[in-house]
């Protein structure tokens, strides 16, 4: 079952996702130190754990590594939503309750996403591209663009062999 990242893992992954490029421990450390006191070795351990869990890939550069996200934050959020939805014994009721919690802006984003997935209805023009912080985009044909990592949205760390021994932070899906 997907579980949210731990607080520090989320803080690190937020930067990796936001910067959308390979990052070093030092870069993440310096940015995190603007908000909190944290040691280099702590950030290094978190990135190593995220690598072992399948959240990031790494490439050696001298005596250090550069880390890059395996999938997007949007894919992570989608996996969490899918898992939560699948836990309901009445999927339609869960969706109705969820939609009732949405702001008008979120409802419009949902409407746009459905139009992108389904394509325009007869007589309707194609949906304009959607760009939510670079995570989801569509072309004028209504097809969703590939994420920036080249990975399919369904690719999760568990599908690439990621496992977790930490109950507070796990990849979006565990093997069944």
């Amino acid at each position: 079952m997907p579980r949210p990242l731990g607080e520090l893992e989320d803080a690190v992954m937020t930067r990796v996702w936001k910067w959308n490029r390979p990052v070093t421990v030092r870069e993440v450390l310096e940015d995190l130190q603007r908000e909190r006191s944290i040691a280099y070795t702590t950030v290094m351990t978190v990135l190593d754990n995220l690598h072992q869990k399948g959240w990031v890939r790494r490439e050696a550069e001298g005596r250090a590594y550069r880390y890059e996200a395996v999938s997007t934050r949007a894919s992570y959020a989608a996996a969490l939503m899918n898992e939560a939805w699948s836990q309901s014994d009445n999927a339609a009721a869960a969706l109705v309750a969820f939609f009732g919690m949405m702001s008008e802006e979120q409802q419009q984003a949902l409407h746009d996403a459905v139009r992108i997935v389904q394509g325009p209805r007869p007589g309707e023009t194609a949906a304009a591209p959607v760009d939510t912080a670079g995570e989801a985009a569509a072309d004028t044909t209504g097809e969703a663009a590939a994420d920036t990592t080249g990975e399919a949205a369904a690719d999760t760390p568990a599908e690439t062999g990621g496992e977790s021994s930490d109950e507070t932070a796990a990849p979006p899906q565990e093997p069944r």
Side-chain angles (χ1 to χ4, degrees):
M1 159 166 65
R3 288 166 278 173
L5 293 167
E7 180 186 344
L8 189 52
E9 288 175 322
D10 185 67
V12 170
M13 283 305 300
T14 294
R15 282 147 180 87
V16 174
W17 282 320
K18 181 177 83 174
W19 295 336
N20 196 29
R21 61 172 173 76
V23 300
T24 64
V25 171
R26 176 74 52 203
E27 290 173 311
V28 175
L29 170 72
E30 290 173 358
D31 200 58
L32 282 170
Q33 284 179 330
R34 296 177 191 181
E35 300 170 3
R36 63 177 83 188
S37 176
I38 190 166
Y40 180 94
T41 54
T42 301
V43 177
M44 183 175 64
T45 299
V46 169
L47 279 164
D48 185 59
N49 290 342
L50 289 167
H51 175 257
Q52 290 179 29
K53 293 176 181 182
W55 289 104
V56 295
R57 65 177 65 91
R58 69 183 181 194
E59 188 171 318
E61 184 175 281
R63 293 179 27 198
Y65 289 106
R66 283 204 174 266
Y67 296 86
E68 185 174 18
V70 169
S71 63
T72 64
R73 181 170 210 116
S75 296
Y76 166 66
L80 289 175
M81 289 187 288
N82 187 56
E83 179 60 28
W85 183 39
S86 71
Q87 296 300 310
S88 173
D89 58 353
N90 185 337
L95 285 172
V96 168
F98 180 64
F99 296 156
M101 295 177 196
M102 292 178 143
S103 69
E104 193 171 316
E105 182 179 272
Q106 290 169 323
Q107 290 175 8
Q108 183 60 49
L110 175 64
H111 176 73
D112 292 344
V114 168
R115 285 183 27 201
I116 290 167
V117 170
Q118 292 180 342
R121 293 182 181 169
E124 185 178 61
T125 60
V130 173
D131 185 359
T132 56
E135 292 180 343
D139 64 20
T140 56
T141 65
E143 294 180 4
D147 74 355
T148 56
T149 64
E151 302 288 324
D155 287 348
T156 61
E159 292 169 345
T160 59
E163 291 183 327
S164 172
S165 60
D166 181 355
E167 288 298 316
T168 62
Q173 294 182 359
E174 293 178 356
R176 297 186 195 267

